[in-house]
Amino acid sequence: MKEFTHIDEKGRAKMVDVTDKGETKREAIAYGQIKLKDSTLERIKNGQIEKGAVLETARVAGIMGVKKTAELIPMCHPLLITGIDIKFEFENATTLGIYATVRTTGKTGVEMEAFTGVSIAALTVYDMCKAVDKDMVIKNIKLLKKTGGKSGTYVRENGE
C-alpha cells in the first residue's frame, strides 16, 4: 500500500519536498461543463448578457484562477506557469464546454491548476448569467490529459 505523501509520521499535514526531483516539461488539460437554459446560451453567443462579455471575462478569470491555485489548495506548490489557454465550446443548445490547458517546466505537475482554471471560468459564467438563469449546473470537471514527470503521460480513455 502506498503511503500518503502529504502526511508525516505523526499524522500531521505536510507539503511534499520536491527539492531533489528533476524538472520536466509538464502539461495538463482539464475539462468541465456548464448546463444553461438554451435562451441563456443564445444570449451569451449574441452578447446580450447585461454584465458584459461573458466568455472573455470567464477566460480572464480562469487564467487568474490558475495563477492563484497554490493560494487556494493548501498542499499545492507555487509554480512558474509558462502557458495558460482557456477555451470554450458550444456543445449543444444547453451546454458550454470549458477547457483549460496549463504548461510549466518544473518539479511538480499542473493538474490542480488546470482544474482550478476550469472551475473558476465556470463559476464566472454562472456569476455573469445568474440574473437570467439560476438553474445552471456546473458538472463533469475532469482531467483529460497530463504529460511530464515521473508518472509520465496520462490520457483519459473514455468520456466518463
Side-chain angles (χ1 to χ4, degrees), residues 6 16 18 21-29 66 69-70 73 75-81 102-116 143 145-152:
H6 289 81
V16 173
V18 296
K21 286 180 79 176
E23 290 193 353
T24 63
K25 287 185 180 180
R26 297 166 179 266
E27 177 181 83
I29 303 170
V66 167
T69 300
I73 302 175
M75 300 305 166
C76 283
H77 292 83
L79 301 177
L80 176 62
I81 302 296
V102 181
R103 292 182 190 88
T104 191
T105 298
K107 297 180 178 207
T108 186
V110 287
E111 296 94 289
M112 298 310 297
E113 287 74 8
F115 283 133
T116 303
L143 182 66
K145 181 180 179 182
K146 80 99 182 151
T147 62
K150 187 169 74 172
S151 65

Side-chain angles (χ1 to χ4, degrees), residues 5-61:
T5 57
H6 289 81
I7 298 174
D8 71 11
E9 63 282 347
K10 294 183 180 177
R12 297 177 300 203
K14 70 172 188 172
M15 182 175 258
V16 173
D17 185 350
V18 296
T19 304
D20 294 329
K21 286 180 79 176
E23 290 193 353
T24 63
K25 287 185 180 180
R26 297 166 179 266
E27 177 181 83
I29 303 170
Y31 166 81
Q33 294 175 318
I34 184 163
K35 298 285 281 182
L36 315 93
K37 293 177 183 172
D38 57 353
S39 59
T40 305
L41 205 52
E42 278 302 312
R43 289 177 78 161
I44 291 171
K45 287 179 185 178
N46 296 323
Q48 297 172 330
I49 297 293
E50 191 174 306
K51 284 190 172 185
V54 174
L55 298 185
E56 288 313 305
T57 304
R59 186 182 328 276
V60 171

Side-chain angles (χ1 to χ4, degrees), residues 71-90:
E71 294 175 33
L72 300 169
I73 302 175
M75 300 305 166
C76 283
H77 292 83
L79 301 177
L80 176 62
I81 302 296
T82 58
I84 305 169
D85 191 17
I86 307 288
K87 291 184 179 174
F88 302 97
E89 180 181 314
F90 297 105

